[in-house]
Every structure is written in C-alpha cells, then in structure tokens.
Amino acid sequence: MYDFVDDNPHIEAHPVSYVNYPPNIAKNDNLVSVNSTIEIDLTGQCCSESMGPVQWSGTGGQHDYARGAFDSKGGKSIIAFYSTAKSGEVSRVVPLLTPGAVVTTPRTEVHWLVSEYGAENLKGKTVSERARAIIGLAHPKFRDELIAAAKELKYL
C-alpha cells in the first residue's frame, strides 16, 4: 500500500487533524454521514462509546462527521440505532443518559435520527418537539413510560 501511495499524483493523504476537521468536512456539498449510537436521551444527546461509565468503543470521527455533515450545503447527518437491547428488554431511548455515560454527539448537533420505527429530523426543534419525535422512534412497549418521564422532566 505504501508503495502505491508514495509519490502517486492520484492519491492525497492527510492527517486525521485535517480529515476530521468539521469545516473541511462541510466543504463537501450534500455530504451524508451515517453513525450509530448505543443510547439516546429525550433531548437527543447520543452516547455512542460507553455503557454508563464503562468504555465500549471509541469516538472515532462521529462527532466530527456529524458536525461537518450538519454544516454541509445540502448535507445530512444520520444517527441510526436499534430501539432496544438485550432481546427487547431494554430501551435504548431513555429519559436521561445513564450516569457516567459519555456524550459522543451533543443534542444540538443531532440532525436525523433513525430507528426501525422511523426517521426524524431534529434540526431546529425545541426540547418538547425533540422529546415527542424521539419517543416516536422508541419501541412501542416503552413509549408510555417515556411519555411519563418526559412530563416529569417538564419536557412535555
């Protein structure tokens, strides 16, 4: 590989500090980034690298590419997730992230969320609108308790 890349005028290689720099990413019109998440709260915060305080994976470029795609002319940042874990016994949509969870992508930079129950564009939505949209992406058996929690948190 190094022989192929070395002095090849058709190859351009840059360090991660350049490649993952959101303003550079956003220069690509119509850019679509697709990432996944482990847990999402009702405001849209995505925890994609830990289960509570236990590290599960690395950040990678999720936040960088979510931000870059968010800012790209015509771009879309998509975060996909399964609505449940542990054979349907645990909701991945939670009122508040598990204590110690790492916020990989902050709520203000979550654009599209997709689960097996649909897709929602969160860009520019209020907390109340976000909570309703995210509850709609949760597994139906968890929706009533998520609505109750959202009301208790004063999101609804």
Side-chain angles (χ1 to χ4, degrees):
M1 179 182 88
Y2 290 112
D3 289 338
F4 175 76
V5 171
D6 189 41
D7 291 324
N8 186 331
H10 301 290
I11 302 293
E12 201 173 316
H14 296 280
V16 73
S17 60
Y18 177 87
V19 174
N20 282 25
Y21 184 52
N24 288 341
I25 294 165
K27 290 177 185 176
N28 297 284
D29 292 349
N30 303 309
L31 182 87
V32 176
S33 73
V34 180
N35 290 284
S36 63
T37 196
I38 296 170
E39 183 178 69
I40 183 163
D41 75 10
L42 294 178
T43 69
Q45 295 185 111
C46 292
C47 171
S48 305
E49 55 193 287
S50 72
M51 291 190 187
V54 178
Q55 191 72 31
W56 191 254
S57 70
T59 303
Q62 179 170 329
H63 180 244
D64 302 323
Y65 275 83
R67 181 75 236 176
F70 191 87
D71 289 340
S72 166
K73 181 181 175 188
K76 291 178 182 66
S77 170
I78 299 168
I79 298 184
F81 64 98
Y82 288 111
S83 64
T84 63
K86 294 190 176 184
S87 300
E89 296 305 310
V90 174
S91 179
R92 290 184 183 252
V93 176
V94 295
L96 300 168
L97 293 180
T98 302
V102 175
V103 176
T104 308
T105 303
R107 68 190 180 123
T108 55
E109 296 183 8
V110 173
H111 190 179
W112 282 93
L113 276 179
V114 177
S115 80
E116 64 272 37
Y117 294 100
E120 290 286 348
N121 181 350
L122 299 185
K123 196 171 190 175
K125 291 194 175 188
T126 66
V127 171
S128 179
E129 292 168 333
R130 288 168 163 272
R132 282 186 181 85
I134 294 166
I135 290 167
L137 297 174
H139 190 287
K141 77 178 184 179
F142 295 105
R143 289 181 188 170
D144 287 342
E145 64 188 72
L146 289 168
I147 290 168
K151 288 178 180 176
E152 186 174 319
L153 291 165
K154 309 283 191 260
Y155 295 163
L156 298 178

